Amino acid sequence: MAIVVNLDVMLAKRKMTSQELANRVGMTQANLSILKTGKARAVRMSTMDAICRELDCQPGDLFEYVKEE
Amino acid sequence: MNSELSAKFTFWCNRLIALIVVALIFFFPSLMNWFEEVRPLGEQKITAIIIGFYLCVPVVLYALWCIDRLVTNVLKKDIFVEQNVRYIRRLRWCCAGVSLICVPIAFFYMPLIFMVVIMAFLALVISLVKNVMAAAVEIREENEFTI
């Protein structure tokens, strides 16, 4: 997919583990892993809101559009 | 609860039918000989029906195996999965196969034309069910991968 998820980068910047974020956001580690690996088909606004709140970032910091060759 | 009972009923009926089909492999010629005595059809028609039966048997057994797998998945609550779509698709081809096999046989024994039509229609219905199932699988995956 042309949408790249930069959640790992944001987690590293905030020095936070996936487990910690999952706990704070109230989602399972498995679901967070689906999001991180780019397997997710859609992201709920409420999930996005919670992630951005906990990571103190903008949705644009988490996702990036990369043109496919 | 009711649907589980229904699935279990289908499961055992399917196995019973498979058993009957397997038994018929051995007894079908004798059965047709008895039928010939009760209602004479002629050597040619009887031979055509027997050949048709033996040509259909592998397809029917494969279809019954597909139903068995399908019902087993339903009992395990694995309903909207890609594997079930594959089984339904194979079931459709089995119905179409039996319909096609019966076409030349129907030239010798006309009433088999009903079998041709019924199996072709069943293939169409199963094709529709397959499309519905494929759409359901897609919706489930979409739902499952919505975070």
Side-chain angles (χ1 to χ4, degrees):
Chain A
M1 204 164 41
I3 301 288
V4 177
V5 183
N6 290 325
L7 189 58
D8 265 341
V9 180
M10 279 314 292
L11 281 169
K13 275 184 186 170
R14 299 289 182 260
K15 293 183 174 60
M16 198 187 284
T17 62
S18 309
Q19 183 66 62
E20 198 182 339
L21 180 66
N23 288 343
R24 283 192 188 189
V25 171
M27 64 196 289
T28 62
Q29 177 80 27
N31 274 347
L32 194 67
S33 172
I34 289 172
L35 187 60
K36 267 168 62 182
T37 50
K39 284 180 189 165
R41 294 261 187 107
V43 184
R44 285 192 195 90
M45 283 296 191
S46 54
T47 310
M48 184 80 85
D49 178 79
I51 292 174
C52 288
R53 185 188 65 230
E54 294 305 326
L55 290 176
D56 188 25
C57 66
Q58 294 299 313
D61 298 330
L62 298 172
F63 301 99
E64 185 185 351
Y65 176 74
V66 178
K67 233 178 200 166
E68 280 176 338
E69 291 300 310
Chain B
M1 187 65 196
N2 231 359
S3 65
E4 200 182 315
L5 262 176
S6 161
K8 273 185 182 164
F9 181 71
T10 311
F11 179 81
W12 288 112
C13 280
N14 184 58
R15 293 216 162 170
L16 184 70
I17 292 166
L19 211 67
I20 292 169
V21 173
V22 170
L24 279 177
I25 292 172
F26 301 104
F27 301 116
F28 196 71
S30 327
L31 195 77
M32 286 315 291
N33 285 337
W34 168 80
F35 188 70
E36 170 74 355
E37 281 170 24
V38 178
R39 190 165 172 243
L41 290 172
E43 186 83 13
Q44 203 185 27
K45 283 180 183 175
I46 293 290
T47 312
I49 292 170
I50 292 173
I51 290 171
F53 172 77
Y54 282 109
L55 285 175
C56 287
V57 160
V59 185
V60 170
L61 284 177
Y62 185 68
L64 290 171
W65 180 81
C66 286
I67 295 172
D68 189 85
R69 295 293 86 211
L70 200 59
V71 180
T72 306
N73 280 350
V74 170
L75 285 170
K76 282 194 288 184
K77 306 279 180 213
D78 287 337
I79 301 166
F80 301 114
V81 291
E82 191 56 45
Q83 198 184 30
N84 286 352
V85 178
R86 270 203 303 276
Y87 288 137
I88 297 174
R89 190 183 295 129
R90 287 171 193 174
L91 213 53
R92 175 192 64 183
W93 287 118
C94 287
C95 289
V98 169
S99 177
L100 280 178
I101 289 169
C102 288
V103 171
I105 313 294
F107 283 107
F108 295 96
Y109 187 57
M110 258 326 244
L112 273 181
I113 202 82
F114 290 111
M115 179 78 117
V116 173
V117 175
I118 289 167
M119 292 315 280
F121 184 69
L122 197 60
L124 278 177
V125 173
I126 293 174
S127 182
L128 191 73
V129 173
K130 190 224 66 165
N131 289 337
V132 171
M133 189 75 167
V137 170
E138 208 166 297
I139 291 168
R140 185 196 62 86
E141 276 178 6
E142 189 108 9
N143 204 30
E144 210 161 76
F145 287 106
T146 297
I147 309 298

